[in-house]
Amino acid sequence: MSVNRFEMTLPMLCAEPKALLAQIGTYETATLILDIRNDWLSGEAPEAVQAILTQRQSTAGSTLFRVGGPDDEAGQAAIERLVALRPHGLVLSGCGGAADIQKFDVMLRVAEASNGIEAGSVALVAEFGENPIFLLSPVSLKDISRRLKAIIFDSEGLTRATASQVFNAAASRTGAPLLLAAAAAVIKARQAGIASYALLQDRDDDPQITRDIALADGFSGVVARNAEQLAALAVI
């Protein structure tokens, strides 16, 4: 699979490899984000995603790996193992802002060099939400990394991190932290001239309405978390 052909297009699905493998043919045109955050540092992660990459056709949608924030030599080694599989890109979850993106860019550059891959070939997608520090940063994301292609907003991670609710029943409105963070994600993406996507929550049972709200708020689209949500989004 060539790492130079990157296009993050709808429909999009983020799920663990084991949840995708049984029906991989169903997702041929989808952009797949393989969620390996919980074990990406282990030697088992490459084996789990390799099965997906092997079955995807060269004409299929892009395939990305969702990982955590690396901060040591073990993290660098893990990135090098994953980049060796030649995904189209990596999604940096728990991103705190520009500094994290720049650091990850450097680590990807080292991984590309160690695998004989052209510099800048592996795309980077920043996921905001789990680390609310990004809300406090006034630094624009414009031109901080040529490989930065999009932003994903993780509302579920944001509400956990802030101990807030998606819906504030007492005020009869969406929770304030969620409103602020979603707006910040859209604005940062606009400033940088890149796309922004809202990651659906696992238990979102009406993804069509969530998508309509996200689009009205300025997001480029949404990312499904399971096959049911993806099917619902496909209904016109």
Side-chain angles (χ1 to χ4, degrees):
M1 178 179 293
S2 170
V3 294
N4 294 315
R5 186 188 64 81
F6 175 82
E7 188 177 7
M8 201 166 181
T9 58
L10 299 172
M12 300 170 62
L13 174 63
C14 176
E16 295 182 356
K18 62 182 180 182
L20 298 171
L21 196 54
Q23 295 180 300
I24 192 63
T26 306
Y27 312 122
E28 182 176 353
T29 61
T31 294
L32 291 187
I33 300 174
L34 308 186
D35 189 355
I36 54 174
R37 286 191 310 166
N38 295 329
D39 61 356
W40 75 278
L41 290 171
S42 73
E44 298 177 1
E47 182 178 350
V49 298
Q50 181 63 73
I52 300 288
L53 293 174
T54 299
Q55 292 196 39
R56 296 208 86 189
Q57 301 297 318
S58 60
T59 57
S62 295
T63 305
L64 302 92
F65 301 156
R66 186 191 193 200
V67 303
D71 56 6
D72 54 20
E73 292 184 4
Q76 179 66 59
I79 290 175
E80 292 179 16
R81 290 194 296 269
L82 293 174
V83 168
L85 300 177
R86 298 177 177 261
H88 294 98
L90 270 68
V91 177
L92 176 61
S93 65
C95 181
D100 286 351
I101 293 171
Q102 290 175 320
K103 179 180 178 180
F104 199 59
D105 183 298
V106 173
M107 298 180 82
L108 283 174
R109 195 182 315 150
V110 172
E112 288 168 337
S114 67
N115 284 288
I117 297 173
E118 182 181 353
S121 295
V122 180
L124 192 166
V125 175
E127 181 183 297
F128 293 131
E130 193 173 72
N131 184 353
I133 291 177
F134 84 94
L135 286 170
L136 307 177
S137 174
V139 180
S140 169
L141 302 183
K142 184 176 177 59
D143 299 328
I144 65 165
S145 170
R146 294 182 63 183
R147 71 172 82 239
L148 180 64
K149 303 299 183 184
I151 285 174
I152 290 177
F153 175 57
D154 175 18
S155 62
E156 196 165 46
L158 187 280
T159 53
R160 284 198 305 268
T162 57
S164 60
Q165 298 293 318
V166 174
F167 184 75
N168 185 330
S172 298
R173 59 161 170 76
T174 302
L178 186 58
L179 285 173
L180 175 62
V186 170
I187 291 171
K188 286 180 178 294
R190 291 284 181 173
Q191 287 179 328
I194 57 179
S196 59
Y197 300 93
L199 181 64
L200 296 183
Q201 298 199 12
D202 286 317
R203 298 182 180 179
D204 191 328
D205 57 2
D206 202 338
Q208 292 182 345
I209 289 180
T210 304
R211 176 185 57 192
D212 292 345
I213 293 172
L215 292 174
D217 281 340
F219 284 99
S220 308
V222 298
V223 182
R225 293 307 310 272
N226 53 58
E228 291 73 20
Q229 291 177 350
L230 192 69
L233 291 170
V235 176
I236 300 177

